[in-house]
Amino acid sequence: MTTYGTIPTSSSGGTNLEYLSRAKERIKTGLGTRRPWKEMFNLGSINFPHNVSEAFPRIKTNTGYFRMNYAIIILFILFLSLLWLPISLIVFVVLMAAWLFLYFLRDEPLLIFHRVIDDGVVLTVLSIVTIVLLLLTDAMVNILLSILVGAVAVVVHGVLRKTDDLCIDEYDVEAGGYLVDSSS
């Protein structure tokens, strides 16, 4: 039986294109939870908590609600700190790409030599490679300080930003269910 004139339904190049389109969609979905910057930096919503026990629920709620914004801020501070270390910046960008493609954007198990590699193994190997490469570029102190500065900025914003005007349900599905109603 001959199949002249049939069009193949898939090709080897199509899988790469499908992978890239799925990756693009997952990135868009992840960035879709970013809250508007105007809402985050609304000056009318900034005040000091009355006591320390009021500060912790604020931090927890704001971290859950603005977590994508906070991640962008920390990564931006990290990027700025690496501008004066171009080799470290290149290594950092390559490592981010490796993390994205090998860990965060994968839908299917990782196969190497027809063997399934567990996510824990991928996480461990990527973590070790990241630490070793960053140590080799002499940027570890710079990176740790920039992450510390970003974390302090996140905590300060989380304490000062009131949560009364945020549109939050007790179990906000869009935010991954991490939020706790601050009024309780």
Side-chain angles (χ1 to χ4, degrees), residues 34-71:
R34 182 185 60 80
R35 306 300 179 171
W37 295 104
K38 281 185 177 181
E39 181 181 8
M40 185 173 178
F41 294 112
N42 182 3
L43 294 179
S45 297
I46 303 291
N47 74 352
F48 288 98
H50 297 295
N51 52 33
V52 175
S53 64
E54 186 182 329
F56 288 111
R58 276 189 184 190
I59 292 171
K60 190 173 184 178
T61 302
N62 283 326
T63 302
Y65 193 76
F66 293 113
R67 74 176 178 273
M68 183 58 68
N69 298 66
Y70 289 156

PDB file of all heavy atoms in Angstrom, residues 34-71:
ATOM      1  N   ARG A  34       1.601  38.790  37.650  1.00  0.00           N
ATOM      2  CA  ARG A  34       2.212  40.044  38.100  1.00  0.00           C
ATOM      3  C   ARG A  34       1.109  41.073  38.304  1.00  0.00           C
ATOM      4  O   ARG A  34       0.228  41.247  37.485  1.00  0.00           O
ATOM      5  CB  ARG A  34       3.213  40.554  37.062  1.00  0.00           C
ATOM      6  CG  ARG A  34       3.911  41.831  37.499  1.00  0.00           C
ATOM      7  CD  ARG A  34       4.803  42.374  36.408  1.00  0.00           C
ATOM      8  NE  ARG A  34       4.110  42.699  35.187  1.00  0.00           N
ATOM      9  CZ  ARG A  34       3.409  43.831  34.993  1.00  0.00           C
ATOM     10  NH1 ARG A  34       3.287  44.712  35.959  1.00  0.00           N
ATOM     11  NH2 ARG A  34       2.831  44.071  33.846  1.00  0.00           N
ATOM     12  N   ARG A  35       1.150  41.716  39.436  1.00  0.00           N
ATOM     13  CA  ARG A  35       0.152  42.741  39.760  1.00  0.00           C
ATOM     14  C   ARG A  35       0.596  44.087  39.187  1.00  0.00           C
ATOM     15  O   ARG A  35       1.797  44.325  38.998  1.00  0.00           O
ATOM     16  CB  ARG A  35      -0.006  42.854  41.278  1.00  0.00           C
ATOM     17  CG  ARG A  35      -0.319  41.557  41.971  1.00  0.00           C
ATOM     18  CD  ARG A  35      -1.611  40.957  41.481  1.00  0.00           C
ATOM     19  NE  ARG A  35      -1.840  39.693  42.183  1.00  0.00           N
ATOM     20  CZ  ARG A  35      -2.944  39.006  42.110  1.00  0.00           C
ATOM     21  NH1 ARG A  35      -3.933  39.421  41.363  1.00  0.00           N
ATOM     22  NH2 ARG A  35      -3.072  37.886  42.762  1.00  0.00           N
ATOM     23  N   PRO A  36      -0.353  44.981  38.939  1.00  0.00           N
ATOM     24  CA  PRO A  36       0.017  46.294  38.392  1.00  0.00           C
ATOM     25  C   PRO A  36       0.936  47.041  39.357  1.00  0.00           C
ATOM     26  O   PRO A  36       0.747  47.024  40.574  1.00  0.00           O
ATOM     27  CB  PRO A  36      -1.333  47.013  38.257  1.00  0.00           C
ATOM     28  CG  PRO A  36      -2.359  45.934  38.252  1.00  0.00           C
ATOM     29  CD  PRO A  36      -1.800  44.809  39.048  1.00  0.00           C
ATOM     30  N   TRP A  37       1.936  47.707  38.789  1.00  0.00           N
ATOM     31  CA  TRP A  37       2.897  48.440  39.614  1.00  0.00           C
ATOM     32  C   TRP A  37       2.219  49.586  40.350  1.00  0.00           C
ATOM     33  O   TRP A  37       2.618  49.932  41.463  1.00  0.00           O
ATOM     34  CB  TRP A  37       4.058  48.942  38.763  1.00  0.00           C
ATOM     35  CG  TRP A  37       4.875  47.821  38.200  1.00  0.00           C
ATOM     36  CD1 TRP A  37       4.861  47.369  36.910  1.00  0.00           C
ATOM     37  CD2 TRP A  37       5.799  46.976  38.887  1.00  0.00           C
ATOM     38  NE1 TRP A  37       5.721  46.299  36.766  1.00  0.00           N
ATOM     39  CE2 TRP A  37       6.311  46.040  37.962  1.00  0.00           C
ATOM     40  CE3 TRP A  37       6.250  46.909  40.203  1.00  0.00           C
ATOM     41  CZ2 TRP A  37       7.244  45.071  38.308  1.00  0.00           C
ATOM     42  CZ3 TRP A  37       7.188  45.944  40.542  1.00  0.00           C
ATOM     43  CH2 TRP A  37       7.668  45.042  39.609  1.00  0.00           C
ATOM     44  N   LYS A  38       1.193  50.184  39.739  1.00  0.00           N
ATOM     45  CA  LYS A  38       0.453  51.263  40.422  1.00  0.00           C
ATOM     46  C   LYS A  38      -0.204  50.753  41.697  1.00  0.00           C
ATOM     47  O   LYS A  38      -0.264  51.456  42.694  1.00  0.00           O
ATOM     48  CB  LYS A  38      -0.619  51.847  39.495  1.00  0.00           C
ATOM     49  CG  LYS A  38      -0.109  52.803  38.476  1.00  0.00           C
ATOM     50  CD  LYS A  38      -1.267  53.397  37.697  1.00  0.00           C
ATOM     51  CE  LYS A  38      -0.788  54.412  36.711  1.00  0.00           C
ATOM     52  NZ  LYS A  38      -1.886  55.027  35.963  1.00  0.00           N
ATOM     53  N   GLU A  39      -0.726  49.535  41.636  1.00  0.00           N
ATOM     54  CA  GLU A  39      -1.347  48.943  42.814  1.00  0.00           C
ATOM     55  C   GLU A  39      -0.291  48.638  43.881  1.00  0.00           C
ATOM     56  O   GLU A  39      -0.523  48.822  45.079  1.00  0.00           O
ATOM     57  CB  GLU A  39      -2.079  47.660  42.426  1.00  0.00           C
ATOM     58  CG  GLU A  39      -2.784  46.975  43.570  1.00  0.00           C
ATOM     59  CD  GLU A  39      -3.484  45.696  43.148  1.00  0.00           C
ATOM     60  OE1 GLU A  39      -3.311  45.245  41.995  1.00  0.00           O
ATOM     61  OE2 GLU A  39      -4.196  45.141  43.986  1.00  0.00           O
ATOM     62  N   MET A  40       0.865  48.202  43.448  1.00  0.00           N
ATOM     63  CA  MET A  40       1.925  47.847  44.388  1.00  0.00           C
ATOM     64  C   MET A  40       2.470  49.073  45.111  1.00  0.00           C
ATOM     65  O   MET A  40       2.742  49.026  46.299  1.00  0.00           O
ATOM     66  CB  MET A  40       3.052  47.132  43.648  1.00  0.00           C
ATOM     67  CG  MET A  40       4.128  46.617  44.551  1.00  0.00           C
ATOM     68  SD  MET A  40       5.280  45.631  43.592  1.00  0.00           S
ATOM     69  CE  MET A  40       6.440  45.219  44.857  1.00  0.00           C
ATOM     70  N   PHE A  41       2.638  50.169  44.386  1.00  0.00           N
ATOM     71  CA  PHE A  41       3.238  51.366  44.960  1.00  0.00           C
ATOM     72  C   PHE A  41       2.212  52.474  45.181  1.00  0.00           C
ATOM     73  O   PHE A  41       2.542  53.652  45.073  1.00  0.00           O
ATOM     74  CB  PHE A  41       4.377  51.862  44.073  1.00  0.00           C
ATOM     75  CG  PHE A  41       5.523  50.897  44.021  1.00  0.00           C
ATOM     76  CD1 PHE A  41       5.829  50.220  42.854  1.00  0.00           C
ATOM     77  CD2 PHE A  41       6.278  50.644  45.150  1.00  0.00           C
ATOM     78  CE1 PHE A  41       6.872  49.323  42.805  1.00  0.00           C
ATOM     79  CE2 PHE A  41       7.331  49.748  45.110  1.00  0.00           C
ATOM     80  CZ  PHE A  41       7.631  49.080  43.939  1.00  0.00           C
ATOM     81  N   ASN A  42       0.999  52.116  45.507  1.00  0.00           N
ATOM     82  CA  ASN A  42      -0.053  53.073  45.828  1.00  0.00           C
ATOM     83  C   ASN A  42       0.302  53.756  47.147  1.00  0.00           C
ATOM     84  O   ASN A  42       0.305  53.130  48.210  1.00  0.00           O
ATOM     85  CB  ASN A  42      -1.394  52.347  45.930  1.00  0.00           C
ATOM     86  CG  ASN A  42      -2.536  53.295  46.216  1.00  0.00           C
ATOM     87  OD1 ASN A  42      -2.361  54.505  46.292  1.00  0.00           O
ATOM     88  ND2 ASN A  42      -3.723  52.729  46.375  1.00  0.00           N
ATOM     89  N   LEU A  43       0.622  55.050  47.093  1.00  0.00           N
ATOM     90  CA  LEU A  43       1.064  55.767  48.293  1.00  0.00           C
ATOM     91  C   LEU A  43      -0.026  55.855  49.353  1.00  0.00           C
ATOM     92  O   LEU A  43       0.284  55.958  50.543  1.00  0.00           O
ATOM     93  CB  LEU A  43       1.560  57.164  47.914  1.00  0.00           C
ATOM     94  CG  LEU A  43       2.831  57.203  47.061  1.00  0.00           C
ATOM     95  CD1 LEU A  43       3.217  58.638  46.723  1.00  0.00           C
ATOM     96  CD2 LEU A  43       3.973  56.492  47.752  1.00  0.00           C
ATOM     97  N   GLY A  44      -1.274  55.788  48.958  1.00  0.00           N
ATOM     98  CA  GLY A  44      -2.367  55.805  49.932  1.00  0.00           C
ATOM     99  C   GLY A  44      -2.459  54.515  50.732  1.00  0.00           C
ATOM    100  O   GLY A  44      -3.133  54.464  51.761  1.00  0.00           O
ATOM    101  N   SER A  45      -1.784  53.480  50.274  1.00  0.00           N
ATOM    102  CA  SER A  45      -1.826  52.185  50.960  1.00  0.00           C
ATOM    103  C   SER A  45      -0.579  51.919  51.795  1.00  0.00           C
ATOM    104  O   SER A  45      -0.378  50.810  52.271  1.00  0.00           O
ATOM    105  CB  SER A  45      -1.981  51.064  49.938  1.00  0.00           C
ATOM    106  OG  SER A  45      -3.206  51.191  49.267  1.00  0.00           O
ATOM    107  N   ILE A  46       0.247  52.930  51.967  1.00  0.00           N
ATOM    108  CA  ILE A  46       1.478  52.766  52.737  1.00  0.00           C
ATOM    109  C   ILE A  46       1.274  53.385  54.117  1.00  0.00           C
ATOM    110  O   ILE A  46       0.900  54.549  54.237  1.00  0.00           O
ATOM    111  CB  ILE A  46       2.677  53.452  52.035  1.00  0.00           C
ATOM    112  CG1 ILE A  46       2.875  52.906  50.626  1.00  0.00           C
ATOM    113  CG2 ILE A  46       3.931  53.352  52.868  1.00  0.00           C
ATOM    114  CD1 ILE A  46       3.357  51.494  50.553  1.00  0.00           C
ATOM    115  N   ASN A  47       1.478  52.567  55.150  1.00  0.00           N
ATOM    116  CA  ASN A  47       1.511  53.075  56.516  1.00  0.00           C
ATOM    117  C   ASN A  47       2.203  52.057  57.407  1.00  0.00           C
ATOM    118  O   ASN A  47       2.387  50.910  57.038  1.00  0.00           O
ATOM    119  CB  ASN A  47       0.120  53.434  57.036  1.00  0.00           C
ATOM    120  CG  ASN A  47      -0.721  52.229  57.366  1.00  0.00           C
ATOM    121  OD1 ASN A  47      -0.360  51.093  57.094  1.00  0.00           O
ATOM    122  ND2 ASN A  47      -1.866  52.465  57.961  1.00  0.00           N
ATOM    123  N   PHE A  48       2.588  52.504  58.580  1.00  0.00           N
ATOM    124  CA  PHE A  48       3.253  51.606  59.511  1.00  0.00           C
ATOM    125  C   PHE A  48       2.219  50.757  60.231  1.00  0.00           C
ATOM    126  O   PHE A  48       1.140  51.253  60.580  1.00  0.00           O
ATOM    127  CB  PHE A  48       4.061  52.420  60.537  1.00  0.00           C
ATOM    128  CG  PHE A  48       5.283  53.057  59.961  1.00  0.00           C
ATOM    129  CD1 PHE A  48       5.286  54.382  59.564  1.00  0.00           C
ATOM    130  CD2 PHE A  48       6.441  52.311  59.805  1.00  0.00           C
ATOM    131  CE1 PHE A  48       6.416  54.967  59.018  1.00  0.00           C
ATOM    132  CE2 PHE A  48       7.584  52.893  59.265  1.00  0.00           C
ATOM    133  CZ  PHE A  48       7.570  54.218  58.878  1.00  0.00           C
ATOM    134  N   PRO A  49       2.537  49.500  60.485  1.00  0.00           N
ATOM    135  CA  PRO A  49       1.612  48.671  61.270  1.00  0.00           C
ATOM    136  C   PRO A  49       1.577  49.169  62.718  1.00  0.00           C
ATOM    137  O   PRO A  49       2.528  49.770  63.204  1.00  0.00           O
ATOM    138  CB  PRO A  49       2.207  47.269  61.171  1.00  0.00           C
ATOM    139  CG  PRO A  49       3.622  47.461  60.795  1.00  0.00           C
ATOM    140  CD  PRO A  49       3.708  48.756  60.057  1.00  0.00           C
ATOM    141  N   HIS A  50       0.461  48.916  63.401  1.00  0.00           N
ATOM    142  CA  HIS A  50       0.309  49.384  64.774  1.00  0.00           C
ATOM    143  C   HIS A  50       1.217  48.624  65.732  1.00  0.00           C
ATOM    144  O   HIS A  50       1.681  49.182  66.726  1.00  0.00           O
ATOM    145  CB  HIS A  50      -1.148  49.268  65.218  1.00  0.00           C
ATOM    146  CG  HIS A  50      -2.071  50.121  64.408  1.00  0.00           C
ATOM    147  ND1 HIS A  50      -2.005  51.494  64.407  1.00  0.00           N
ATOM    148  CD2 HIS A  50      -3.064  49.798  63.544  1.00  0.00           C
ATOM    149  CE1 HIS A  50      -2.919  51.978  63.584  1.00  0.00           C
ATOM    150  NE2 HIS A  50      -3.578  50.964  63.039  1.00  0.00           N
ATOM    151  N   ASN A  51       1.464  47.351  65.451  1.00  0.00           N
ATOM    152  CA  ASN A  51       2.343  46.551  66.304  1.00  0.00           C
ATOM    153  C   ASN A  51       2.994  45.450  65.471  1.00  0.00           C
ATOM    154  O   ASN A  51       2.665  45.265  64.305  1.00  0.00           O
ATOM    155  CB  ASN A  51       1.574  45.964  67.493  1.00  0.00           C
ATOM    156  CG  ASN A  51       0.330  45.227  67.054  1.00  0.00           C
ATOM    157  OD1 ASN A  51       0.293  44.626  65.981  1.00  0.00           O
ATOM    158  ND2 ASN A  51      -0.704  45.263  67.892  1.00  0.00           N
ATOM    159  N   VAL A  52       3.907  44.714  66.081  1.00  0.00           N
ATOM    160  CA  VAL A  52       4.658  43.686  65.370  1.00  0.00           C
ATOM    161  C   VAL A  52       3.745  42.542  64.937  1.00  0.00           C
ATOM    162  O   VAL A  52       3.916  41.972  63.856  1.00  0.00           O
ATOM    163  CB  VAL A  52       5.813  43.153  66.256  1.00  0.00           C
ATOM    164  CG1 VAL A  52       6.538  42.012  65.596  1.00  0.00           C
ATOM    165  CG2 VAL A  52       6.775  44.270  66.591  1.00  0.00           C
ATOM    166  N   SER A  53       2.747  42.226  65.752  1.00  0.00           N
ATOM    167  CA  SER A  53       1.852  41.116  65.396  1.00  0.00           C
ATOM    168  C   SER A  53       1.016  41.433  64.156  1.00  0.00           C
ATOM    169  O   SER A  53       0.521  40.528  63.504  1.00  0.00           O
ATOM    170  CB  SER A  53       0.946  40.764  66.578  1.00  0.00           C
ATOM    171  OG  SER A  53       0.099  41.846  66.894  1.00  0.00           O
ATOM    172  N   GLU A  54       0.870  42.699  63.827  1.00  0.00           N
ATOM    173  CA  GLU A  54       0.165  43.088  62.600  1.00  0.00           C
ATOM    174  C   GLU A  54       1.096  43.037  61.389  1.00  0.00           C
ATOM    175  O   GLU A  54       0.631  42.904  60.247  1.00  0.00           O
ATOM    176  CB  GLU A  54      -0.405  44.500  62.764  1.00  0.00           C
ATOM    177  CG  GLU A  54      -1.274  44.955  61.613  1.00  0.00           C
ATOM    178  CD  GLU A  54      -1.785  46.375  61.796  1.00  0.00           C
ATOM    179  OE1 GLU A  54      -1.996  46.807  62.949  1.00  0.00           O
ATOM    180  OE2 GLU A  54      -1.952  47.058  60.772  1.00  0.00           O
ATOM    181  N   ALA A  55       2.401  43.120  61.621  1.00  0.00           N
ATOM    182  CA  ALA A  55       3.364  43.158  60.518  1.00  0.00           C
ATOM    183  C   ALA A  55       3.496  41.800  59.829  1.00  0.00           C
ATOM    184  O   ALA A  55       3.608  41.741  58.605  1.00  0.00           O
ATOM    185  CB  ALA A  55       4.722  43.619  61.031  1.00  0.00           C
ATOM    186  N   PHE A  56       3.505  40.715  60.589  1.00  0.00           N
ATOM    187  CA  PHE A  56       3.718  39.394  59.991  1.00  0.00           C
ATOM    188  C   PHE A  56       2.607  38.971  59.031  1.00  0.00           C
ATOM    189  O   PHE A  56       2.900  38.473  57.943  1.00  0.00           O
ATOM    190  CB  PHE A  56       3.954  38.345  61.080  1.00  0.00           C
ATOM    191  CG  PHE A  56       5.295  38.493  61.731  1.00  0.00           C
ATOM    192  CD1 PHE A  56       5.391  38.911  63.046  1.00  0.00           C
ATOM    193  CD2 PHE A  56       6.465  38.255  61.027  1.00  0.00           C
ATOM    194  CE1 PHE A  56       6.620  39.065  63.653  1.00  0.00           C
ATOM    195  CE2 PHE A  56       7.700  38.409  61.626  1.00  0.00           C
ATOM    196  CZ  PHE A  56       7.781  38.822  62.941  1.00  0.00           C
ATOM    197  N   PRO A  57       1.321  39.163  59.379  1.00  0.00           N
ATOM    198  CA  PRO A  57       0.284  38.839  58.378  1.00  0.00           C
ATOM    199  C   PRO A  57       0.371  39.719  57.133  1.00  0.00           C
ATOM    200  O   PRO A  57       0.084  39.266  56.034  1.00  0.00           O
ATOM    201  CB  PRO A  57      -1.027  39.074  59.120  1.00  0.00           C
ATOM    202  CG  PRO A  57      -0.692  39.007  60.560  1.00  0.00           C
ATOM    203  CD  PRO A  57       0.729  39.469  60.675  1.00  0.00           C
ATOM    204  N   ARG A  58       0.796  40.969  57.305  1.00  0.00           N
ATOM    205  CA  ARG A  58       0.977  41.844  56.138  1.00  0.00           C
ATOM    206  C   ARG A  58       2.047  41.291  55.220  1.00  0.00           C
ATOM    207  O   ARG A  58       1.878  41.247  54.001  1.00  0.00           O
ATOM    208  CB  ARG A  58       1.397  43.254  56.583  1.00  0.00           C
ATOM    209  CG  ARG A  58       0.287  44.158  56.972  1.00  0.00           C
ATOM    210  CD  ARG A  58       0.862  45.542  57.154  1.00  0.00           C
ATOM    211  NE  ARG A  58      -0.147  46.473  57.622  1.00  0.00           N
ATOM    212  CZ  ARG A  58       0.039  47.779  57.670  1.00  0.00           C
ATOM    213  NH1 ARG A  58       1.190  48.297  57.311  1.00  0.00           N
ATOM    214  NH2 ARG A  58      -0.916  48.566  58.083  1.00  0.00           N
ATOM    215  N   ILE A  59       3.184  40.889  55.803  1.00  0.00           N
ATOM    216  CA  ILE A  59       4.281  40.348  54.990  1.00  0.00           C
ATOM    217  C   ILE A  59       3.803  39.105  54.251  1.00  0.00           C
ATOM    218  O   ILE A  59       4.047  38.953  53.048  1.00  0.00           O
ATOM    219  CB  ILE A  59       5.507  40.026  55.864  1.00  0.00           C
ATOM    220  CG1 ILE A  59       6.120  41.304  56.410  1.00  0.00           C
ATOM    221  CG2 ILE A  59       6.552  39.247  55.078  1.00  0.00           C
ATOM    222  CD1 ILE A  59       7.198  41.072  57.454  1.00  0.00           C
ATOM    223  N   LYS A  60       3.108  38.226  54.955  1.00  0.00           N
ATOM    224  CA  LYS A  60       2.644  36.978  54.345  1.00  0.00           C
ATOM    225  C   LYS A  60       1.647  37.249  53.216  1.00  0.00           C
ATOM    226  O   LYS A  60       1.749  36.674  52.131  1.00  0.00           O
ATOM    227  CB  LYS A  60       2.007  36.093  55.423  1.00  0.00           C
ATOM    228  CG  LYS A  60       1.709  34.709  54.958  1.00  0.00           C
ATOM    229  CD  LYS A  60       1.241  33.845  56.121  1.00  0.00           C
ATOM    230  CE  LYS A  60       1.043  32.429  55.648  1.00  0.00           C
ATOM    231  NZ  LYS A  60       0.643  31.553  56.741  1.00  0.00           N
ATOM    232  N   THR A  61       0.706  38.140  53.446  1.00  0.00           N
ATOM    233  CA  THR A  61      -0.301  38.449  52.433  1.00  0.00           C
ATOM    234  C   THR A  61       0.319  39.161  51.239  1.00  0.00           C
ATOM    235  O   THR A  61       0.066  38.792  50.088  1.00  0.00           O
ATOM    236  CB  THR A  61      -1.418  39.321  53.040  1.00  0.00           C
ATOM    237  OG1 THR A  61      -1.991  38.625  54.135  1.00  0.00           O
ATOM    238  CG2 THR A  61      -2.491  39.623  52.014  1.00  0.00           C
ATOM    239  N   ASN A  62       1.152  40.179  51.505  1.00  0.00           N
ATOM    240  CA  ASN A  62       1.775  40.920  50.403  1.00  0.00           C
ATOM    241  C   ASN A  62       2.741  40.048  49.609  1.00  0.00           C
ATOM    242  O   ASN A  62       2.834  40.181  48.392  1.00  0.00           O
ATOM    243  CB  ASN A  62       2.495  42.160  50.937  1.00  0.00           C
ATOM    244  CG  ASN A  62       1.530  43.275  51.266  1.00  0.00           C
ATOM    245  OD1 ASN A  62       0.506  43.444  50.609  1.00  0.00           O
ATOM    246  ND2 ASN A  62       1.829  44.031  52.303  1.00  0.00           N
ATOM    247  N   THR A  63       3.443  39.148  50.279  1.00  0.00           N
ATOM    248  CA  THR A  63       4.351  38.253  49.566  1.00  0.00           C
ATOM    249  C   THR A  63       3.574  37.324  48.638  1.00  0.00           C
ATOM    250  O   THR A  63       3.979  37.086  47.501  1.00  0.00           O
ATOM    251  CB  THR A  63       5.190  37.427  50.564  1.00  0.00           C
ATOM    252  OG1 THR A  63       5.907  38.325  51.401  1.00  0.00           O
ATOM    253  CG2 THR A  63       6.174  36.533  49.845  1.00  0.00           C
ATOM    254  N   GLY A  64       2.455  36.818  49.104  1.00  0.00           N
ATOM    255  CA  GLY A  64       1.628  35.970  48.243  1.00  0.00           C
ATOM    256  C   GLY A  64       1.000  36.744  47.098  1.00  0.00           C
ATOM    257  O   GLY A  64       0.926  36.256  45.969  1.00  0.00           O
ATOM    258  N   TYR A  65       0.566  37.949  47.371  1.00  0.00           N
ATOM    259  CA  TYR A  65      -0.147  38.742  46.370  1.00  0.00           C
ATOM    260  C   TYR A  65       0.801  39.343  45.328  1.00  0.00           C
ATOM    261  O   TYR A  65       0.506  39.346  44.132  1.00  0.00           O
ATOM    262  CB  TYR A  65      -0.925  39.859  47.074  1.00  0.00           C
ATOM    263  CG  TYR A  65      -1.936  40.553  46.201  1.00  0.00           C
ATOM    264  CD1 TYR A  65      -3.144  39.951  45.886  1.00  0.00           C
ATOM    265  CD2 TYR A  65      -1.680  41.816  45.694  1.00  0.00           C
ATOM    266  CE1 TYR A  65      -4.068  40.583  45.093  1.00  0.00           C
ATOM    267  CE2 TYR A  65      -2.607  42.458  44.896  1.00  0.00           C
ATOM    268  CZ  TYR A  65      -3.798  41.842  44.597  1.00  0.00           C
ATOM    269  OH  TYR A  65      -4.715  42.468  43.800  1.00  0.00           O
ATOM    270  N   PHE A  66       1.951  39.837  45.768  1.00  0.00           N
ATOM    271  CA  PHE A  66       2.888  40.516  44.878  1.00  0.00           C
ATOM    272  C   PHE A  66       4.122  39.669  44.568  1.00  0.00           C
ATOM    273  O   PHE A  66       5.170  40.207  44.220  1.00  0.00           O
ATOM    274  CB  PHE A  66       3.355  41.842  45.502  1.00  0.00           C
ATOM    275  CG  PHE A  66       2.288  42.877  45.637  1.00  0.00           C
ATOM    276  CD1 PHE A  66       1.863  43.275  46.887  1.00  0.00           C
ATOM    277  CD2 PHE A  66       1.716  43.462  44.523  1.00  0.00           C
ATOM    278  CE1 PHE A  66       0.881  44.246  47.028  1.00  0.00           C
ATOM    279  CE2 PHE A  66       0.732  44.430  44.648  1.00  0.00           C
ATOM    280  CZ  PHE A  66       0.310  44.823  45.908  1.00  0.00           C
ATOM    281  N   ARG A  67       4.039  38.355  44.683  1.00  0.00           N
ATOM    282  CA  ARG A  67       5.250  37.532  44.581  1.00  0.00           C
ATOM    283  C   ARG A  67       5.948  37.649  43.234  1.00  0.00           C
ATOM    284  O   ARG A  67       7.171  37.643  43.184  1.00  0.00           O
ATOM    285  CB  ARG A  67       4.955  36.083  44.937  1.00  0.00           C
ATOM    286  CG  ARG A  67       4.209  35.287  43.919  1.00  0.00           C
ATOM    287  CD  ARG A  67       4.083  33.832  44.394  1.00  0.00           C
ATOM    288  NE  ARG A  67       3.331  33.061  43.446  1.00  0.00           N
ATOM    289  CZ  ARG A  67       2.026  32.960  43.431  1.00  0.00           C
ATOM    290  NH1 ARG A  67       1.322  33.595  44.342  1.00  0.00           N
ATOM    291  NH2 ARG A  67       1.413  32.250  42.522  1.00  0.00           N
ATOM    292  N   MET A  68       5.225  37.773  42.135  1.00  0.00           N
ATOM    293  CA  MET A  68       5.883  37.931  40.834  1.00  0.00           C
ATOM    294  C   MET A  68       6.563  39.293  40.746  1.00  0.00           C
ATOM    295  O   MET A  68       7.677  39.395  40.235  1.00  0.00           O
ATOM    296  CB  MET A  68       4.876  37.750  39.700  1.00  0.00           C
ATOM    297  CG  MET A  68       5.502  37.826  38.327  1.00  0.00           C
ATOM    298  SD  MET A  68       6.812  36.635  38.016  1.00  0.00           S
ATOM    299  CE  MET A  68       5.911  35.121  37.987  1.00  0.00           C
ATOM    300  N   ASN A  69       5.930  40.328  41.273  1.00  0.00           N
ATOM    301  CA  ASN A  69       6.550  41.651  41.293  1.00  0.00           C
ATOM    302  C   ASN A  69       7.827  41.624  42.127  1.00  0.00           C
ATOM    303  O   ASN A  69       8.845  42.203  41.736  1.00  0.00           O
ATOM    304  CB  ASN A  69       5.583  42.687  41.872  1.00  0.00           C
ATOM    305  CG  ASN A  69       4.331  42.828  41.062  1.00  0.00           C
ATOM    306  OD1 ASN A  69       3.549  41.889  40.985  1.00  0.00           O
ATOM    307  ND2 ASN A  69       4.120  43.979  40.472  1.00  0.00           N
ATOM    308  N   TYR A  70       7.769  40.960  43.270  1.00  0.00           N
ATOM    309  CA  TYR A  70       8.949  40.859  44.129  1.00  0.00           C
ATOM    310  C   TYR A  70      10.072  40.092  43.428  1.00  0.00           C
ATOM    311  O   TYR A  70      11.241  40.462  43.532  1.00  0.00           O
ATOM    312  CB  TYR A  70       8.593  40.172  45.447  1.00  0.00           C
ATOM    313  CG  TYR A  70       7.732  41.007  46.385  1.00  0.00           C
ATOM    314  CD1 TYR A  70       6.937  40.396  47.330  1.00  0.00           C
ATOM    315  CD2 TYR A  70       7.734  42.392  46.336  1.00  0.00           C
ATOM    316  CE1 TYR A  70       6.160  41.136  48.206  1.00  0.00           C
ATOM    317  CE2 TYR A  70       6.960  43.144  47.197  1.00  0.00           C
ATOM    318  CZ  TYR A  70       6.173  42.513  48.140  1.00  0.00           C
ATOM    319  OH  TYR A  70       5.405  43.255  49.001  1.00  0.00           O
ATOM    320  N   ALA A  71       9.726  39.027  42.731  1.00  0.00           N
ATOM    321  CA  ALA A  71      10.745  38.257  42.004  1.00  0.00           C
ATOM    322  C   ALA A  71      11.402  39.118  40.932  1.00  0.00           C
ATOM    323  O   ALA A  71      12.626  39.081  40.747  1.00  0.00           O
ATOM    324  CB  ALA A  71      10.131  37.008  41.388  1.00  0.00           C
TER     325      ALA A  71
END
